Amino acid sequence: MIDIGKNVWGETIQRIYPDLFIFDDQATWNSGQFVRPSVFVETDLVSEKTHTPQSIRIIEDVGLVFHYDFERISQEDKGEPIPFDLYPFFLYLRQNRYCIASQRFKTMLVVEPPRTREKSDQMEITFRYSYLLHVPKRTVTDDGKEIMKINDFYVEANGQEVKA
């Protein structure tokens, strides 16, 4: 199964910060071998519950780690971190009332208010979100027979059977 939540967050961040490098590889993040400024996206499934017969409600946690760039006086020198402006990201969430719609994946995420944790060279933002995932209705039984759909409905009106 593709990770819809992670892809929607990538699309959203790309919409807000078009020049920012986005990655989700845990090994790259742990090794520290990535371009700065960048954002690391990690999602974690909390639960999935049946919402209707044709949909499942997925609840996930996401962690967005925005890594700051460093001041460079010379090529070998790594100076002070340059704080990244996260105001556009929080403004985007507020303007959309914490509902993020993806045009590419046709999914809407309902987001809870974020929690932030600032470190010297990065800002970590975590929050929980949910979305509905469509489950296609089965059209074939286990033994291979096609399930017949009812397309015509009849009601009784004034003592006569009428197509509804």
Side-chain angles (χ1 to χ4, degrees):
M1 183 172 100
I2 66 167
D3 195 351
I4 294 173
K6 195 177 287 188
N7 291 332
V8 171
W9 284 113
E11 177 188 348
T12 303
I13 293 168
Q14 192 69 40
R15 191 178 311 143
I16 301 168
Y17 303 106
D19 298 329
L20 192 62
F21 177 69
I22 303 168
F23 65 102
D24 64 352
D25 183 36
Q26 184 82 29
T28 304
W29 187 57
N30 288 334
S31 69
Q33 302 297 320
F34 50 86
V35 180
R36 289 177 180 259
S38 61
V39 62
F40 172 67
V41 180
E42 183 175 40
T43 59
D44 186 31
L45 179 67
V46 174
S47 72
E48 55 181 67
K49 300 176 187 173
T50 302
H51 185 67
T52 66
Q54 282 86 35
S55 67
I56 297 174
R57 177 172 298 284
I58 307 290
I59 300 173
E60 293 181 331
D61 286 334
V62 66
L64 304 173
V65 183
F66 289 87
H67 294 276
Y68 304 151
D69 199 4
F70 289 107
E71 241 181 294
R72 300 195 195 298
I73 299 169
S74 67
Q75 194 66 356
E76 304 84 30
D77 189 27
K78 185 165 68 169
E80 291 293 315
I82 303 168
F84 194 76
D85 184 18
L86 292 173
Y87 179 75
F89 178 74
F90 292 117
L91 180 64
Y92 182 84
L93 287 177
R94 283 191 303 275
Q95 285 177 339
N96 290 299
R97 293 187 163 86
Y98 292 91
C99 292
I100 297 178
S102 167
Q103 286 89 26
R104 183 173 174 206
F105 298 101
K106 308 292 186 230
T107 304
M108 185 174 83
L109 306 182
V110 179
V111 181
E112 292 181 7
R115 298 170 298 281
T116 60
R117 188 170 73 180
E118 190 167 1
K119 295 183 180 177
S120 63
D121 65 338
Q122 66 191 30
M123 171 69 85
E124 186 177 313
I125 303 169
T126 57
F127 40 84
R128 185 163 284 178
Y129 64 94
S130 66
Y131 61 94
L132 293 178
L133 185 63
H134 175 68
V135 178
K137 191 173 184 178
R138 292 188 56 182
T139 59
V140 179
T141 60
D142 291 334
D143 59 352
K145 294 180 183 174
E146 189 172 331
I147 298 172
M148 298 300 294
K149 293 172 105 181
I150 300 172
N151 293 322
D152 298 319
F153 295 90
Y154 296 92
V155 293
E156 188 175 324
N158 299 328
Q160 292 183 334
E161 198 172 271
V162 180
K163 187 174 181 180

